[in-house]
Amino acid sequence: MRFFVPFGMHLDELLQFCFALKGTTEHFPFDERTLVLKVQGKMYALVDVDEPTGINLKCDPERAVELRERCDGIQPGYHMNKKHWNTVSLLGQIDDSLIKELIVHSYDQIVSSLPKKLRDELAD
């Protein structure tokens, strides 16, 4: 089944991109709708699989503020720590290349905070 959002990035395309990031695993710890993507057990992305209108991504706090000021489709993270998380629209307001860049940024934020041993496991 192909989930899609009108004029935006398709959920299956988004997930395919995320699963290409080494060590990404999928979980449903909250409910059957909220897909959580993790690396080494730490969340870096959350998306509603029934209504994929936005994705929550971790972000450097200074960059998070700058992105929110520059892009209407980027808001403080819904149900998340507003300092460290953004909700990025998947409705076509944000270019797919920027969405992918922000996914990688979120992933990198988590990886850089991991202990060296866990980072080394991802490098192998």
Side-chain angles (χ1 to χ4, degrees):
M1 176 180 253
R2 183 173 166 99
F3 296 97
F4 68 95
V5 179
F7 311 113
M9 181 180 275
H10 292 274
L11 181 61
D12 55 349
E13 178 186 358
L14 183 140
L15 295 178
Q16 182 179 10
F17 181 80
C18 291
F19 289 127
L21 299 173
K22 191 164 185 176
T24 293
T25 56
E26 64 180 315
H27 307 268
F28 287 90
F30 306 116
D31 55 42
E32 66 280 350
R33 293 177 55 152
T34 308
L35 173 61
V36 176
L37 299 169
K38 296 182 178 184
V39 59
Q40 297 290 34
K42 303 265 187 191
M43 294 190 306
Y44 75 88
L46 296 90
V47 65
D48 184 322
V49 295
D50 290 341
E51 295 180 38
T53 58
I55 183 170
N56 283 359
L57 298 169
K58 187 134 189 181
C59 191
D60 170 76
E62 289 180 21
R63 185 170 187 204
V65 171
E66 183 267 322
L67 286 164
R68 293 173 199 162
E69 290 173 352
R70 189 176 56 143
C71 304
D72 288 337
I74 300 178
Q75 302 296 321
Y78 181 70
H79 286 306
M80 304 297 286
N81 179 323
K82 311 288 188 238
K83 181 177 179 181
H84 296 282
W85 290 83
N86 281 336
T87 298
V88 179
S89 173
L90 299 175
L91 297 175
Q93 296 169 285
I94 307 295
D95 187 73
D96 288 358
S97 62
L98 179 56
I99 293 171
K100 289 176 181 179
E101 177 188 325
L102 295 174
I103 290 169
V104 171
H105 176 71
S106 182
Y107 174 91
D108 288 345
Q109 288 282 299
I110 298 303
V111 170
S112 69
S113 72
L114 294 171
K116 184 178 182 335
K117 180 182 178 191
L118 295 178
R119 284 194 316 268
D120 290 347
E121 287 177 16
L122 291 172
D124 294 336

